[in-house]
Amino acid sequence: MMPLRALPAYLINGMTVAAGIGVVHALGAQVGNPQLAQLALSGAVCASLADLPNPPHRTAYRVGAAALLGVLGASMVGLLTPHPVALGFGIAAVAFVAMMAMAWGPRAGPVAFAPILSIVFSMAAPPQPGTLLVSAAWHGAGAAAYLVWALACSALLQRRYRLLMGAEAVDAAAGLLRSRAALLSSVAGPLPDLQRQAMRGWVQAEAALAERLQQARDFAFAHAGRTPRDAALLLRTIELRDELLTSRLDIDRLGHDNASRWLLSRTADALRAIAGGLDAVASALREQRVPASGPMPAARAADDYADAPLADDDPRRRLLPSLRLRLRALGDSVDALGALLRGTAPLLPLTPVQLARFVAPEGWPLAALAAQWHGHSPVLRHAVRAALALGCAYFIARALPWASHPHWLVLSVAVVLRGNLEQTLSRRNARVGGTLLGCMVVVALAGLHSAPVLGAIFLLSVGTAHAFVLRRYWLTACAATVMALLQAHAVNPATGFAVPERVADTLLGVLLAWAFSYVLPSWERRQLPAAVHLALGAIDDYAAHALHWPVVDAVEPRLARRRAYDALQALAGTLQRSAAEPRQVQVPVAAIAALLDHGQRLMALLSVVRLILGRGGERLHPGETRQALRDTLDTLHLALDPKTLDSAAAVPTTPPGRTSQTPEDAVLADDINETFMRLPPTDPGADPMAWLRRRLRGLAEDGRQLRSAALKALSPAHD
């Protein structure tokens, strides 16, 4: 059994949500009759959708918004229930307004779903005696009571959440190291399918780390003055990602012989050893204990390059000192994380005020909504699509033989239909499997006649559905099915569990959601030009900060680096989502993969240049250094300026008489001897100027290749 201290944040959150809903239901049952208690329960469940691990002020904003929208949805149903046709159009209108809230990004997702769930609950409840105002008041009272509970839990769990978010960020960094090791091992092997799988794992690990880092920033940087150790831990983890990115430089030019496979395999082993060290740090942080001290295994793994099977005159030997330095830098970062947990005084390179600039903004600015009112907006198109789908689901449900439960078909469509086809297909399969499993659980529970036991199972289902919605949706679908059937049975026990009807509604709802995903589709190709422009512009902006020497601002380069990483990650997400779309509308995979490859190489080179500039000191020649940086920056500006891409993309990017090469072809065509003989004869620490010149040449070349890949991605030849 998992010890209490080892519980992850999402499980703690699920437990507090279930407990809060149980408290609200118990209070409602004490104050009113069971039917009114169900209204209060519905309000609490709708508000709880937005109750995620957050600082208290974010909890207030989001849970409060979900509670308010839930009350409005319930009021609409109460007002239009006597008019079935008008209710169908009202459902469509609420769905449109709710989905337009996605203009504020993924954080608005739980808030946007609250009024839709409120509609479903209100349709499921039998008509209540009294006025519409009384029903809305009870729904609002339950939501308000849950808001108070959510704020109290958020305040009490702040320190625990902050530690767990930091541990999750370190875990995600370890996962990224392992995915990089798997990629190196796959390159060393002969199986192309394994390489493609490893590349997908690398992209997914990058996305996971970016998400975990931002969640941790929101906790650790908001109050860095009071918790400097947590802020220092997170800053070190962020720098570790940069160091890992630099570890890829030159490795892709090792060749494909036995010696290169040996080097790749040894490097992969070292990365796995470093990931093991990160696991120990994350575990110690999560369990609030001091990690054991000792030398990093990565240092010993790096020393193993000494017996590399390379001839004495093999030019690749000149790369080994650089590989050792990179791996030792990663190992030193892990050691520094452990030292912070053992009590070393944290030294923050930024002030608490500066760190607060990295916290994600909160609020609902109207400018974000206004920017979506055009025909190509994915948010607007999905809002129209959702309105049509839910409205049709309602009217179809009323025409079915079991029309007494139209809310279930509406719910099935609402939870499956997502903003893009890739997510819809994923939800489709998980929803069907989870619902069938949940129905089987309810059939097994049908013989139970103990209200306390069924109530406990209901609360367990609530917590499980909430905790796993972003991790294992099939489990959420299963728990939500159990929850919904038990709640319907509690409201009206005479109707039974109606399992066959629920299965039929789920299957039909899934088919409807799948069909409507092709209505006003927002194919990723339509958003590709904006994503490419954003990526190149963000990298160009980061280059302008990274190549400024000496450094005069410690904040702007870091902000620019985060924007560049986010832009590349958004482009990777475009590539991943497009894989589920019809082949004729997919983005050009090879061109986008090459663009991502050169973009990450360029980010790695910029990080290395920053390190050289920071550590070179007096051994750098000031006049020559500034001129070389200016020349390189001018070259990058010409290559990465998004304004020149559209006109250039209209012409072929490969001159007549030549054939286009993929990055893999280019690596195969490289002459290893020529590549590595150009390495400086001394280590980077001994002659930083020589290595700076080499890295700046690499920046200029990768900038041109990045532009070429962008032009291929945007070329009409791919349409």
Side-chain angles (χ1 to χ4, degrees):
M1 185 176 179
M2 184 181 295
L4 188 59
R5 280 183 175 270
L7 285 177
Y10 68 90
L11 284 182
I12 294 176
N13 180 233
M15 293 166 63
T16 60
V17 166
I21 290 174
V23 169
V24 171
H25 185 241
L27 290 175
Q30 290 294 321
V31 177
N33 60 48
Q35 291 179 331
L36 295 178
Q38 287 298 320
L39 284 175
L41 177 66
S42 298
V45 172
C46 293
S48 73
L49 294 178
D51 183 14
L52 300 171
N54 274 311
H57 72 283
R58 293 179 186 268
T59 298
Y61 270 115
R62 300 182 189 185
V63 178
L68 176 61
L69 291 177
V71 172
L72 294 177
S75 300
M76 187 275 296
V77 173
L79 184 66
L80 298 181
T81 294
H83 312 285
V85 175
L87 178 58
F89 288 102
I91 291 172
V94 170
F96 176 82
V97 173
M99 291 304 104
M100 284 302 298
M102 296 306 296
W104 289 292
R107 65 188 173 91
V111 176
F113 196 71
I116 296 176
L117 189 62
S118 174
I119 288 174
V120 171
F121 283 165
S122 300
M123 291 171 63
Q128 300 297 320
T131 65
L132 169 64
L133 184 61
V134 172
S135 298
W138 273 92
H139 189 104
Y146 185 83
L147 174 59
V148 173
W149 172 271
L151 288 172
C153 290
S154 179
L156 289 173
L157 292 170
Q158 275 306 288
R159 182 171 181 272
R160 187 63 186 155
Y161 278 154
R162 187 172 62 250
L163 291 175
L164 291 175
M165 291 304 172
E168 287 189 9
V170 176
D171 276 333
L176 186 63
L177 262 70
R178 289 193 174 90
S179 68
R180 182 63 188 168
L183 187 58
L184 292 178
S185 298
S186 70
V187 172
L191 300 177
D193 288 342
L194 185 61
Q195 295 175 22
R196 285 191 289 269
Q197 182 179 354
M199 180 58 73
R200 283 195 296 269
W202 167 260
V203 171
Q204 292 168 357
E206 284 270 17
L209 179 58
E211 179 183 355
R212 299 291 185 269
L213 286 177
Q214 189 54 55
Q215 290 174 343
R217 286 188 191 102
D218 293 342
F219 278 94
F221 290 173
H223 305 288
R226 296 200 299 266
T227 58
R229 189 204 67 171
D230 296 333
L233 283 166
L234 185 56
L235 284 171
R236 176 63 73 171
T237 305
I238 293 170
E239 294 302 325
L240 188 144
R241 177 177 64 173
D242 246 20
E243 292 164 354
L244 173 62
L245 193 60
T246 63
S247 70
R248 62 164 293 175
L249 295 176
D250 302 313
I251 286 182
D252 55 358
R253 298 182 182 275
L254 286 172
H256 299 282
D257 58 356
N258 290 333
S260 68
R261 284 192 285 271
W262 186 94
L263 288 171
L264 291 172
S265 178
R266 188 55 55 90
T267 303
D269 290 342
L271 292 178
R272 292 188 186 97
I274 298 170
L278 287 174
D279 289 338
V281 170
S283 178
L285 182 59
R286 188 177 293 112
E287 298 173 13
Q288 301 181 51
R289 57 178 173 79
V290 177
S293 60
M296 270 298 302
R300 297 193 298 272
D303 288 337
D304 288 345
Y305 284 129
D307 58 346
L310 297 171
D312 292 341
D313 58 347
D314 193 316
R316 287 174 291 187
R317 279 196 172 276
R318 306 175 71 176
L319 181 64
L320 298 184
S322 180
L323 293 178
R324 291 192 186 97
L325 284 175
R326 296 173 194 171
L327 292 175
R328 284 175 179 165
L330 287 169
D332 289 343
S333 291
V334 179
D335 284 340
L337 290 172
L340 285 169
L341 293 182
R342 286 189 290 272
T344 300
L347 298 176
L348 297 178
L350 303 176
T351 67
V353 174
Q354 291 173 325
L355 288 173
R357 295 180 61 185
F358 293 87
V359 177
E362 190 60 42
W364 314 99
L366 293 179
L369 186 62
Q372 302 300 326
W373 290 99
H374 59 87
H376 296 311
S377 165
V379 173
L380 179 62
R381 294 169 76 89
H382 178 57
V384 174
R385 186 187 313 127
L388 293 173
L390 267 65
C392 288
Y394 169 79
F395 287 115
I396 290 173
R398 289 189 59 83
L400 293 174
W402 52 89
S404 59
H405 301 94
H407 57 278
W408 193 274
L409 185 58
V410 173
L411 178 62
S412 296
V413 174
V415 298
V416 173
L417 185 63
R418 301 289 93 189
N420 58 75
L421 183 60
E422 187 258 347
Q423 291 180 353
T424 297
L425 294 178
S426 174
R427 283 287 181 98
R428 176 197 66 184
N429 301 335
R431 176 68 179 175
V432 172
T435 298
L436 293 177
L437 183 58
C439 287
M440 293 171 61
V441 172
V442 171
V443 169
L445 296 174
L448 288 176
H449 302 288
S450 172
V453 173
L454 292 178
I457 294 174
F458 172 81
L459 293 179
L460 177 62
S461 301
V462 169
T464 302
H466 186 89
F468 289 94
V469 65
L470 296 179
R471 286 168 173 82
R472 296 179 182 86
Y473 185 74
W474 68 268
L475 185 55
T476 287
C478 174
T481 300
V482 175
M483 176 187 72
L485 291 175
L486 290 179
Q487 185 180 18
H489 184 264
V491 172
N492 193 357
T495 61
F497 288 106
V499 170
E501 289 89 344
R502 300 296 72 77
V503 173
D505 282 337
T506 296
L507 295 175
L508 181 56
V510 165
L511 290 175
L512 279 173
W514 186 15
F516 272 96
S517 65
Y518 291 91
V519 176
L520 292 177
S522 299
W523 304 130
E524 295 298 326
R525 192 183 193 97
R526 189 186 297 272
Q527 314 304 322
L528 181 61
V532 171
H533 289 184
L534 180 63
L536 265 64
I539 295 174
D540 188 27
D541 182 51
Y542 176 48
H545 289 91
L547 300 183
H548 189 282
W549 186 74
V551 177
V552 294
D553 189 336
V555 180
E556 288 301 328
R558 294 172 181 266
L559 287 170
R561 179 179 64 181
R562 187 184 69 173
R563 289 192 293 267
Y565 276 131
D566 290 345
L568 284 174
Q569 187 53 52
L571 196 57
T574 296
L575 183 62
Q576 181 177 348
R577 291 188 298 271
S578 181
E581 297 175 347
R583 185 176 298 275
Q584 63 269 24
V585 298
Q586 290 182 3
V587 300
V589 175
I592 300 300
L595 195 157
L596 288 170
D597 180 65
H598 290 298
Q600 288 192 339
R601 277 184 54 84
L602 206 147
M603 291 291 291
L605 285 166
L606 287 171
S607 297
V608 168
V609 168
R610 286 182 63 206
L611 290 174
I612 295 174
L613 294 175
R615 298 172 180 174
E618 298 178 353
R619 288 165 295 179
L620 294 175
H621 309 146
E624 181 184 355
T625 298
R626 292 192 183 93
Q627 185 61 47
L629 293 174
R630 282 195 296 268
D631 292 344
T632 304
L633 190 56
D634 289 342
T635 301
L636 290 177
H637 279 325
L638 289 174
L640 303 181
D641 186 0
K643 297 177 182 178
T644 64
L645 283 180
D646 292 331
S647 58
V651 298
T653 57
T654 303
R658 294 183 58 191
T659 57
S660 176
Q661 287 185 320
T662 65
E664 292 80 9
D665 294 329
V667 172
L668 289 171
D670 275 342
D671 178 28
I672 294 176
N673 185 67
E674 179 183 352
T675 298
F676 290 99
M677 284 302 291
R678 288 183 294 176
L679 287 173
T682 56
D683 292 350
D687 189 2
M689 197 67 216
W691 283 87
L692 178 63
R693 295 190 199 100
R694 181 171 186 271
R695 294 311 185 191
L696 293 178
R697 287 195 299 269
L699 273 173
E701 178 60 27
D702 267 295
R704 287 187 287 267
Q705 292 183 356
L706 179 60
R707 178 182 178 82
S708 176
L711 291 173
K712 290 178 182 178
L714 300 178
S715 172
H718 289 291
D719 290 338

